[in-house]
């Protein structure tokens, strides 16, 4: 019996030691598990930090490039390395050089032209021959492979200044005298008509081509004001030769002695037989004939169509697409000058009969449809 006590005493410490070893082992396991969770947590935090530090600047840069149509790649990064977040990736492919293919609005404009050109019912209003008259409207910049079709009363003076600088006639836009811009013997702007047939075709196929449009009726108002009311460039033939010709043919009240009125002008333009007067007026009619007659958009595949109403965006975009934005800037656009003014349109057409307005629209319907301008039902109905 005395031998049993020492044996029990020896077993008790052994059990405690085993229990302690088990607890110590479990403690190490918990510490190891906690350490693993801590490492995982720190890795997640680090990953988030890396994402915030490196991904977001690219996303911001991509967003800025897409919204502002920036064409230049980041320094030190090739086009193939340029990354866009999924929601901001441009849908087009990369163009030659470093420029992005046209954003959606410009693609849609060209697609609309193709669709309307294919409408057989509008063929007489959308198609025209690429005649000498059309080729005379297109100015050439061989140095930068650009063709610009002139559409008067749509801010063309400023685009001419851009091309004059690019052709090297003057070092900057500010240094071009106003009387030189429209003097085609001094402004250094060759017309496409001055080249041989082969050279014309080569340029039409390979050069960057563009022109600008605006609401057709608002453009006619601008032409009337500029040529028959204010006449700032002192072109007396509009008042003394063209206006009397229109009045003799189209004024209904023969006792009326006032100068040409807008309703006389509208009646002349809407007359299906207007061409006999056009022949008498010569090239002066460029200020009010249709965009179709000026630039042949169904026959010539233009690279970009700009809109006067969105010129603040379109002008920089055109310069970038043409690859000349680092050489010249479009002149500053006065605030509000490009906004469509429905009140002004309504005021000018107030004294014009619905019959004459409908005839005018019938002539310019091709322009309205080709370039996405809304039919002016507020004038027609």
């Amino acid at each position: 019996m005395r031998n049993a006590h020492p044996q029990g005493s020896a077993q008790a410490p052994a059990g405690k030691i085993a229990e302690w070893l088990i607890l110590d082992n479990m403690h190490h396991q918990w510490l190891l598990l906690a350490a693993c969770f801590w490492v995982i947590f720190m890795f997640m935090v680090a990953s988030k930090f890396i994402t915030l530090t490196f991904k977001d600047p690219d996303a911001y840069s991509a967003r800025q490039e897409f919204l502002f149509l920036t064409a230049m790649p980041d320094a030190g990064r090739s086009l193939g390395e340029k990354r866009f977040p999924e929601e901001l990736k441009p849908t087009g492919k990369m163009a030659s050089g470093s420029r992005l293919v046209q954003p959606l609005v410009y693609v849609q404009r060209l697609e609309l032209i193709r669709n309307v050109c294919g409408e057989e019912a509008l063929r007489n209003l959308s198609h025209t021959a690429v005649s000498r008259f059309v080729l005379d409207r297109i100015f050439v910049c061989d140095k930068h492979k650009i063709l610009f079709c002139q559409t008067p009363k749509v801010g063309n003076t400023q685009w001419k200044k851009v091309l004059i600088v690019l052709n090297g006639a003057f070092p900057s836009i500010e240094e071009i005298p106003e009387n030189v811009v429209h003097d085609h013997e001094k402004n250094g702007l060759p017309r496409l008509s001055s080249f041989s047939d082969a050279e014309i075709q080569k340029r039409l196929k390979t050069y960057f081509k563009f022109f600008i449009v605006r609401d057709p009726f608002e453009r006619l108002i601008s032409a009337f004001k500029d040529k028959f009311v204010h006449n700032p460039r002192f072109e007396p033939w509009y008042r003394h030769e063209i206006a009397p010709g229109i009045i003799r043919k189209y004024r209904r009240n023969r006792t009326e002695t006032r100068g040409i009125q807008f309703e006389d002008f509208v009646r002349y333009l809407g007359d299906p037989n207007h061409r006999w007067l056009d022949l008498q007026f010569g090239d002066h009619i460029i200020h009010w004939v249709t965009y179709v007659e000026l630039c042949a958009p169904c026959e010539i595949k233009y690279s970009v169509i700009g809109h006067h109403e969105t010129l603040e965006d379109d002008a920089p975009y055109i310069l970038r697409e043409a690859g000349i934005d680092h050489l010249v800037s479009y002149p500053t656009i006065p605030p509000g000058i490009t906004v469509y003014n429905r009140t002004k349109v309504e005021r000018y057409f107030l004294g014009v009969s619905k019959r004459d307005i409908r005839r005018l629209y019938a002539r310019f319907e091709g322009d309205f449809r080709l370039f996405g301008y809304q039919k002016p039902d507020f004038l027609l109905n």
Side-chain angles (χ1 to χ4, degrees):
M1 291 296 294
R2 284 182 294 181
N3 293 337
H5 179 72
Q7 185 178 359
S9 299
Q11 288 176 349
K16 289 182 178 180
I17 291 171
E19 184 180 352
W20 180 83
L21 288 173
I22 292 170
L23 290 173
D24 186 63
N25 186 44
M26 291 177 64
H27 179 70
H28 279 87
Q29 288 179 348
W30 280 109
L31 286 176
L32 181 62
L33 186 61
C36 289
F37 277 114
W38 176 255
V39 170
I40 292 171
F41 174 75
M42 291 303 294
F43 180 78
M44 292 173 65
V45 171
S47 299
K48 187 67 175 177
F49 177 77
I50 291 170
T51 299
L52 291 171
T53 304
F54 297 106
K55 184 178 179 180
D56 278 10
D58 274 348
Y60 178 77
S61 176
R63 186 175 293 109
Q64 291 299 308
E65 288 183 16
F66 189 74
L67 291 178
F68 293 100
L69 314 177
T70 301
M72 300 301 293
D74 289 351
R77 177 184 284 181
S78 68
L79 287 174
E81 297 172 328
K82 188 67 178 177
R83 294 183 180 181
F84 292 89
E86 287 297 323
E87 71 275 14
L88 295 176
K89 282 184 179 178
T91 55
K93 300 176 182 178
M94 297 308 293
S96 59
S98 61
R99 301 194 300 276
L100 288 172
V101 164
Q102 298 162 322
L104 185 59
V105 62
Y106 302 103
V107 174
Q108 289 175 333
R109 289 176 185 176
L110 296 177
E111 185 65 26
L112 175 62
I113 290 173
R114 283 193 291 271
N115 291 339
V116 175
C117 288
E119 293 185 25
E120 193 60 34
L122 276 176
R123 187 169 185 83
N124 290 339
L125 296 174
S126 60
H127 289 260
T128 191
V130 183
S131 62
R132 174 63 182 261
F133 181 81
V134 172
L135 297 176
D136 276 345
R137 309 282 76 78
I138 300 176
F139 296 101
V140 181
C141 176
D142 277 330
K143 184 176 181 180
H144 299 283
K145 296 185 176 181
I146 297 171
L147 299 180
F148 166 62
C149 185
Q150 177 189 22
T151 49
K153 316 324 307 166
V154 192
N156 281 254
T157 298
Q158 307 305 330
W159 285 110
K160 279 187 176 182
K161 290 179 180 179
V162 168
L163 293 182
I164 288 170
V165 171
L166 290 174
N167 278 346
F170 288 87
S172 70
I173 287 175
E174 293 74 22
E175 296 178 58
I176 305 173
E178 287 297 322
N179 64 323
V180 169
V181 178
H182 301 287
D183 187 334
H184 299 296
E185 293 182 0
K186 298 179 181 178
N187 63 18
L189 291 180
R191 299 172 188 258
L192 191 55
S193 58
S194 65
F195 297 89
S196 68
D197 289 345
E199 290 173 327
I200 289 171
Q201 291 304 316
K202 176 185 175 182
R203 285 163 175 78
L204 285 174
K205 288 179 181 178
T206 62
Y207 280 22
F208 177 86
K209 301 172 289 293
F210 77 100
F211 67 95
I212 314 296
V213 297
R214 73 187 294 187
D215 178 86
F217 279 6
E218 196 171 36
R219 171 175 170 252
L220 295 179
I221 292 171
S222 178
F224 178 78
K225 288 170 56 181
D226 186 60
K227 301 305 174 186
F228 299 111
V229 180
H230 303 306
N231 202 247
R233 296 194 185 94
F234 188 69
E235 300 164 311
W237 48 87
Y238 287 101
R239 288 180 179 174
H240 301 315
E241 298 176 22
I242 295 177
I246 294 173
I247 291 171
R248 282 194 300 269
K249 173 70 175 175
Y250 295 103
R251 177 155 295 177
R252 288 177 177 164
N253 184 357
R254 297 295 179 178
T255 62
E256 175 63 66
T257 58
R258 292 183 300 170
I260 187 170
Q261 302 298 298
F262 187 66
E263 60 182 307
D264 303 323
F265 188 56
V266 168
R267 208 168 291 124
Y268 150 57
L269 295 178
D271 183 0
N273 300 311
H274 63 84
R275 294 193 183 279
W276 75 273
L277 265 188
D278 289 350
L279 292 174
Q280 295 181 41
F281 298 157
D283 280 358
H284 299 308
I285 64 172
I286 66 172
H287 299 282
W288 50 77
V289 298
T290 65
Y291 300 128
V292 170
E293 294 170 280
L294 290 169
C295 299
C298 289
E299 285 66 38
I300 298 174
K301 188 176 180 180
Y302 286 91
S303 311
V304 178
I305 305 298
H307 281 226
H308 186 258
E309 294 82 1
T310 55
L311 196 58
E312 290 87 348
D313 296 323
D314 293 1
Y317 175 74
I318 289 170
L319 295 178
R320 280 193 293 270
E321 282 295 294
I324 55 175
D325 56 313
H326 61 293
L327 299 173
V328 67
S329 298
Y330 189 83
T332 302
I333 302 171
I337 197 171
T338 63
V339 178
Y340 174 72
N341 189 337
R342 172 170 167 163
T343 302
K344 178 180 68 176
V345 173
E346 289 177 324
R347 185 173 71 250
Y348 267 84
F349 280 92
L350 188 61
V352 184
S353 72
K354 296 296 183 185
R355 170 184 174 274
D356 290 336
I357 298 174
R358 293 188 186 110
R359 291 178 72 170
L360 182 69
Y361 178 76
R363 178 179 175 187
F364 285 85
E365 183 181 2
D367 282 359
F368 277 93
R369 294 283 305 281
L370 281 164
F371 305 108
Y373 287 102
Q374 188 173 357
K375 183 179 180 180
D377 288 323
F378 65 95
L379 296 176
L380 299 169
N381 299 326

